[in-house]
Amino acid sequence: MLTLGIETSCDETAVALVDADGTILSDVVHSQVQSHARYGGVVPELASRDHLQNIVPVYRSALERAGKRLEDVGGIAVTCSPGLSGALLVGVQMARGLGWASRLPLVGVDHLVGHLLAVFLRAPGQPPVELEFPFLALLVSGGHTALYRVEGRDLAQISELGATRDDAAGEAFDKVAKLIGLGYPGGPIIDRLAREGDASTIPLAMPMRRQASLEFSFSGLKTNVARWVEANGPLADDQRLRDLCASFQHNVVESLLSRTFRAVRREGLRTLVLAGGVAANRGLRQRAAAYAERHGVRVVVPPPAHCTDNAAMIALAGSHRLARGEDQSGQLEISPHTALMRVTRKGAGPR
Ligand code: KG4
Ligand code: ZN
C-alpha cells in the first residue's frame, strides 16, 4: 500500500509517497528559509501563508515525481502535532480535503514519532534497514531535544527518558548564530565554521556538568557565549569566530552524548538512533561514532535529508496504522504539543 505523507508543522512544506516497506517513491520539500531568514527565526504568520501558497504545487510535484496518481494511494498520513497551529492546519485541511474527495483513510501523526522512525526510510533498490526494537533514540531538532526508549512503532511504545529543561539543541545553535552575526538557520553554518576552529582556545561552560540526570539545558551555554562576545568585542570573519563555533559545538555535542550514553547504560540497550535536524551535525555524528565504539554500541544515523523535516517520515510513521485499518477522518485534531508522554518539566510551564 502506498501512503501519502503531508508535513507542514513548522517551516517546511513537504509531501511524500512511501511504500509499505519504507521505500521512498518521492519526497518533495519546499523550505521557507528564505522567507524567515531576515527575521532570524520562524515567523508563524508568514509560515502559514507560505504553506498555503505551496502545499498544492508540492503535492502535485510529489505525485508527478513518483509517477503516480491519487487513485494509486491507499491512505494519507499528516502531521497533527506538535507545531505551529496555523501551519499544522494547512496540512491537515489539505489531508482532509484529499481524503474526503477520494474516500481515503486518514491518520494524524506526531511529528516527533516521524523523526524517531525516519531511520526505517530507504531509497528505491536499497535493502531494508536492519534494526530491532528496543533501541535508544536521541532526538535533537529545532523545537525538541529528548532521549527516548523506543519499543515499537506505536505512540504507546515510545517513552521519554529525559528532555531539555529550556532550549532545544537546534534552537541553541540558531540563537547563538544570531548572537554572533551568522545567518539562519544557524546549525549548518556553525557546523561548517566549527570544522576550521580549535575548541580548546575558548573554554565555555559545560551544561549541567555536575548533574547525573538524563536532562539537558542549553540556555546557560548560550548566555556564556553572549558574555564572551561582550567581553571580547565584535567578531570578524576570522579564526576567533571559528574557534568560538568549535567550542560551542563541542560543548553541545559532549553534553548530548554524555547523557545519551548514560541512558544507553541505564536502559541496557545496544543500539542508538540519532534523529532530528541536529543529527545532521558532522561533529555530533563523528563523536557519536567514537563514543559508540568505546561502549560497544551500534549507532544508526539516517542520511541528513531524512534527519531534517520531511514528509516521508510522516508517511512511514502512519503507514502501519493505515495498514491495520485505522482511520481518523472526521476526528482529526491539531495540537501544538507532542502526543508523547513527557517526564521533564520545561521551564515553569505546564507539563
Ligand atoms: O528537525 P528539523 O528540521 O526541524 C524541527 O523539527 O525543528 O530541525 C531544524 C534544526 C534547526 O535548529 C537547525 O539549525 C538544526 O536543526 N540543524 C543543524 C544542522 N542542520 C540543521 N544543527 C547543527 N548542525 C547541523 N548540521
Ligand atoms: Zn522536525
Side-chain angles (χ1 to χ4, degrees):
M1 188 183 85
L2 260 189
T3 303
L4 179 84
I6 302 178
E7 153 65 39
T8 62
S9 66
C10 190
D11 60 344
E12 262 94 24
T13 316
V15 180
L17 278 173
V18 173
D19 232 334
D21 63 2
T23 304
I24 303 172
L25 274 70
S26 67
D27 181 17
V28 182
V29 181
H30 160 78
S31 166
Q32 302 181 358
V33 161
Q34 298 303 336
S35 317
H36 303 289
R38 65 195 184 109
Y39 302 101
V42 177
V43 182
E45 182 57 29
L46 281 183
S48 315
R49 281 191 233 167
D50 202 305
H51 284 308
L52 266 179
Q53 266 168 11
N54 288 292
I55 187 74
V56 173
V58 167
Y59 158 73
R60 289 204 175 119
S61 132
L63 282 181
E64 196 183 330
R65 283 192 208 172
K68 299 287 180 191
R69 295 174 310 157
L70 189 56
E71 294 83 84
D72 302 319
V73 171
I76 303 171
V78 60
T79 308
C80 61
S81 66
L84 304 166
S85 301
L88 286 167
L89 265 180
V90 177
V92 166
Q93 286 301 86
M94 178 76 181
R96 281 186 184 138
L98 288 172
W100 182 79
S102 56
R103 308 203 183 287
L104 284 172
L106 176 64
V107 290
V109 170
D110 192 87
H111 182 83
L112 305 189
V113 177
H115 273 305
L116 293 173
L117 299 181
V119 64
F120 292 108
L121 289 170
R122 53 174 162 150
Q126 252 186 7
V129 181
E130 302 225 355
L131 180 62
E132 279 176 21
F133 297 109
F135 57 79
L136 188 94
L138 170 66
L139 170 54
V140 268
S141 75
H144 297 85
T145 292
L147 286 164
Y148 296 96
R149 182 183 174 98
V150 184
E151 299 271 353
R153 291 175 189 238
D154 286 319
L155 203 67
Q157 293 174 295
I158 303 174
S159 30
E160 185 194 291
L161 303 172
T164 181
R165 292 183 184 174
D166 40 60
D167 293 345
E171 191 179 356
F173 269 100
D174 296 339
K175 285 179 175 170
V176 162
K178 192 173 177 183
L179 196 83
I180 58 180
L182 304 173
Y184 174 83
I189 308 173
I190 292 184
D191 190 7
R192 182 165 43 77
L193 292 171
R195 261 173 248 166
E196 296 155 17
D198 178 355
S200 67
T201 61
I202 303 178
L204 296 170
M206 187 61 81
M208 305 213 300
R209 185 194 284 281
R210 283 190 295 276
Q211 305 247 358
S213 76
L214 298 178
E215 296 180 343
F216 307 95
S217 166
F218 297 106
S219 68
L221 179 59
K222 180 187 63 191
T223 309
N224 201 212
V225 174
R227 295 253 162 80
W228 189 91
V229 175
E230 254 169 47
N232 293 276
L235 284 153
D237 184 12
D238 59 9
Q239 190 56 40
R240 275 194 332 153
L241 176 70
R242 286 158 176 74
D243 293 344
L244 185 62
C245 288
S247 180
F248 166 74
Q249 180 167 301
H250 169 83
N251 282 18
V252 173
V253 166
E254 291 306 316
S255 159
L256 288 171
L257 292 178
S258 60
R259 279 158 186 79
T260 300
F261 282 85
R262 186 177 293 153
V264 163
R265 281 197 305 275
R266 234 180 242 186
E267 295 291 310
L269 296 170
R270 311 299 313 159
T271 312
L272 166 67
V273 169
L274 300 186
V278 184
N281 184 272
R282 279 240 313 218
L284 178 63
R285 295 167 89 101
Q286 279 167 5
R287 288 293 295 151
Y291 263 85
E293 203 180 314
R294 207 174 335 127
H295 287 79
V297 167
R298 178 180 171 222
V299 189
V300 188
V301 196
H306 299 172
C307 290
T308 48
D309 285 353
N310 64 83
M313 67 185 194
I314 303 303
L316 181 109
S319 66
H320 71 288
R321 292 167 49 202
L322 289 162
R324 69 181 176 217
E326 247 186 79
D327 184 6
Q328 297 181 301
S329 310
Q331 60 201 44
L332 193 58
E333 301 286 341
I334 58 147
S335 168
H337 306 294
T338 180
L340 288 169
M341 190 68 86
R342 286 185 286 168
V343 296
T344 299
R345 184 175 286 273
K346 200 178 170 189
R351 277 196 169 192

